[in-house]
Amino acid sequence: MRGVVVALGVSMAVAAGPAVASAAPAAIDKVPTPQLNWADCADGFQCAKASVPLDYDRPSGAKIDLALIKLPATDPQHRIGSLFVNFGGPGASGLQRLRERGKWPWLFSDALRARFDLVSWDPRGIADSAAVRCFGSVDEQQAFFGSFPEMPGDPSGNAAFYAKSKELADRCAAKAGPILEHVSTANTARDLELLRRAVGDPKLNYHGISYGTQLGATYANLFPNRIRAMVFDGTMDFAGNSTGQNGNGKSVPLDTRQDVATGIAQTFEQFLRLCTEAGPKCAFSSGDPKAKWAALTARAKQAPIVSDGETWTYSGIINAAADLSDSRGWPDIAALLQRLYDAPATPARRSAAVAVAGEQYSSNRTEAFNAIQCSDSDVPTDPAVYSRYAESEDQRVPYFGRIAVLDMMSCAYWKAKDTDRFTGPWNRPTSAEILVLNNRYDPSTPLPGARDGAAELARARVFVTEGYGHSSMYVPSTCTEQVKRDYLISGTFPAAGKTCAIDASPFAG
């Protein structure tokens, strides 16, 4: 989410309860179709720009450019059309991810790529599409996030974490400009409708991963008769993400009400089980991994642990252990836990800030994530609510309860609102039945939430992969890719009761 540079106006509050976002299909149909001039952009990809309205309530007003990328179908004579892919986030660059992942065979097989152009884009507010910018320079951005306190493991860290979360919200309000009031998922769904027309497809083919399922569900309910095929992969609870279940959106933190903490905990239990079964192939397998984990965290609560010159606090260890989305990285987590378990008692020289684990914040992914998520979702605005839930969830889900309470703390302080956001209804009958994929153990979009999301839709079927991690993107399953491919190509669903296995255990070596 990146922005047009203009003063940010004070937005009006969004009305509570289900509401149809304002720009209806008939109004969208009057917006001119963007012209796409595709040009080669290395490695077999083509790139283009699409001009779309900043504000769909004023379609003749200011415009923003969206950056697109395409990997053309390898069998043009049998090409079905374009398959639009949103890789999740929100905040991830579609251009970058399609370049990185468009040829992953477990995600897009040769047989699938033969029949579809794979198309992705940087949604509004992200990367090369009117990015939300909350800092004056990359150096300023990196300095800010490098000094961000880690997620607190006990109440003593709350005040500093809350203050920095508020500072991020304040910086974005002061710096980002008018894009901040137009980055809701509903507006990205409208963009997607224009992009569908721009590529010449009579109906949409779509694969949404993680947050991309929220985008897909929004499109499906704004444009229910314009779908040819739609795959949701690592699926959210759409009402829960937006307004909460039974109106609890303003009283319960976002990922707490979706019980992400239980999803993390159950996936971590599988991590320990599979590690034990793997023996020497898992670095943390010797002895009793569950007992070692308890001992490691108890020790870290007493004092930070120093290993290889890095200082790891209790909170830093919990956050590292919870990073289970990509099961291919589980051996690295196991090696880290063993290294910390073996570390001698040494006085800590410094605390482990977020920057120690250290992605370099050269993109606007964090700013974009907050701008979109905070536009879409009702959340509590009283910090005391988060403090109370942090303690109760820490008791209910040991180790991981706090993560789901505090992971979107900046939304509590977010000022800008997109009055065109979509809050339902989610059950409009669609022209095609939707295929919903989810792993049995998903730490980011737990299976119960995926089932809830599918039940909110008018026409959807859930298909389960017996795997560990987040979505088929991070959990290779040739079987699941074939299920997805058969549906996308011919509209067929797997037999009732069928599930798929993963290609290999995370510790297969």
Side-chain angles (χ1 to χ4, degrees), residues 92 103 161 174 214 219 233 295:
K103 298 178 184 178
F161 185 76
Q214 189 80 21
Y219 181 97
D233 187 355

Side-chain angles (χ1 to χ4, degrees), residues 36-49 68-72 95 99:
L36 302 180
N37 297 311
W38 294 103
D40 291 342
C41 54
D43 300 321
F45 292 91
Q46 297 176 6
C47 295
K49 295 277 189 180
L68 289 86
I69 189 168
K70 174 172 69 174
L71 186 61
L95 272 66
R99 282 191 182 278

Side-chain angles (χ1 to χ4, degrees), residues 245-265:
Q245 296 291 356
N246 302 313
N248 69 354
K250 294 183 178 179
S251 60
V252 182
L254 180 54
D255 273 349
T256 302
R257 66 191 188 233
Q258 301 199 84
D259 204 13
V260 168
T262 296
I264 297 171

Side-chain angles (χ1 to χ4, degrees), residues 478-492:
T478 302
C479 172
T480 299
E481 198 280 339
Q482 183 170 353
V483 167
K484 177 183 72 178
R485 182 197 336 150
D486 291 344
Y487 165 79
L488 287 171
I489 291 174
S490 60
T492 58

Side-chain angles (χ1 to χ4, degrees), residues 9 22 30 72 113 158 169 220 280 338 369 392 396 409 418 441 492:
S22 62
K30 297 178 182 178
R113 292 202 298 111
N158 287 356
Q338 186 63 41
F369 174 90
S392 62
R396 187 180 72 89
M409 194 67 211
D418 187 337
Y441 297 98
T492 58

Side-chain angles (χ1 to χ4, degrees), residues 77-406:
Q77 287 187 329
H78 297 96
R79 174 184 172 275
I80 294 171
S82 298
L83 177 61
F84 283 89
V85 184
N86 181 283
F87 289 91
S93 166
L95 272 66
Q96 179 183 5
R97 289 202 164 179
L98 190 66
R99 282 191 182 278
E100 293 172 346
R101 306 170 188 192
K103 298 178 184 178
W104 285 1
W106 66 88
L107 190 57
F108 305 111
S109 64
D110 289 346
L112 182 65
R113 292 202 298 111
R115 305 299 299 278
F116 291 95
D117 296 339
L118 300 184
V119 179
S120 193
W121 75 109
D122 288 352
R124 56 173 56 214
I126 299 172
D128 290 330
S129 296
V132 170
R133 299 287 186 198
C134 304
F135 302 93
S137 67
V138 170
D139 288 344
E140 182 183 344
Q141 180 196 48
Q142 291 181 350
F144 176 85
F145 287 115
S147 65
F148 211 105
E150 65 189 3
M151 195 176 294
D154 60 61
S156 66
N158 287 356
F161 185 76
Y162 294 174
K164 203 69 171 181
S165 298
K166 182 179 185 299
E167 184 181 349
L168 175 61
D170 291 344
R171 282 174 175 262
C172 291
K175 183 78 175 174
I179 188 64
L180 213 59
E181 294 182 332
H182 302 285
V183 292
S184 67
T185 296
N187 277 326
T188 291
R190 297 182 184 101
D191 294 340
L192 180 56
E193 170 60 7
L194 293 187
L195 298 180
R196 175 197 66 79
R197 285 163 38 190
V199 299
D201 284 357
K203 291 189 175 182
L204 179 71
N205 303 291
Y206 179 78
H207 182 192
I209 301 169
S210 192
Y211 159 78
T213 67
Q214 189 80 21
L215 172 58
T218 302
Y219 181 97
N221 284 280
L222 287 176
F223 308 103
N225 296 318
R226 302 182 182 185
I227 300 166
R228 178 190 170 274
M230 187 168 268
V231 177
F232 294 172
D233 187 355
T235 301
M236 300 174 73
D237 169 2
F238 312 116
N241 183 67
S242 176
T243 56
Q245 296 291 356
N246 302 313
N248 69 354
K250 294 183 178 179
S251 60
V252 182
L254 180 54
D255 273 349
T256 302
R257 66 191 188 233
Q258 301 199 84
D259 204 13
V260 168
T262 296
I264 297 171
Q266 291 177 345
T267 307
F268 188 71
E269 288 176 5
Q270 297 303 308
F271 168 90
L272 293 175
R273 179 182 67 82
L274 293 170
C275 178
T276 301
E277 293 175 358
K281 291 183 178 179
C282 175
F284 198 58
S285 65
S286 62
D288 182 346
K290 285 188 177 181
K292 289 165 63 180
W293 167 250
L296 172 62
T297 52
R299 176 184 166 195
K301 276 190 171 183
Q302 297 301 312
I305 298 172
V306 178
S307 176
D308 293 347
E310 292 182 345
T311 300
W312 289 83
T313 63
Y314 171 80
S315 183
I317 293 169
I318 295 299
N319 288 321
D323 189 13
L324 300 166
S325 290
D326 189 343
S327 59
R328 297 167 302 165
W330 287 16
D332 293 333
I333 296 174
L336 171 64
L337 297 181
Q338 186 63 41
R339 178 162 58 85
L340 295 176
Y341 183 78
D342 290 337
T346 304
R349 293 185 294 274
R350 56 185 171 87
S351 65
V354 169
V356 171
E359 86 169 292
Q360 296 299 308
Y361 286 85
S362 57
S363 73
N364 81 323
R365 184 173 177 181
T366 302
E367 300 101 294
F369 174 90
N370 283 281
I372 297 171
Q373 192 68 65
C374 301
S375 293
D376 281 350
S377 301
D378 288 343
V379 298
T381 57
D382 181 359
V385 172
Y386 294 85
S387 296
R388 288 196 297 270
Y389 268 104
E391 296 313 301
S392 62
E393 287 294 287
D394 199 28
Q395 295 296 315
R396 187 180 72 89
V397 187
Y399 308 116
F400 305 113
R402 288 176 175 274
I403 292 175
V405 176
L406 302 175

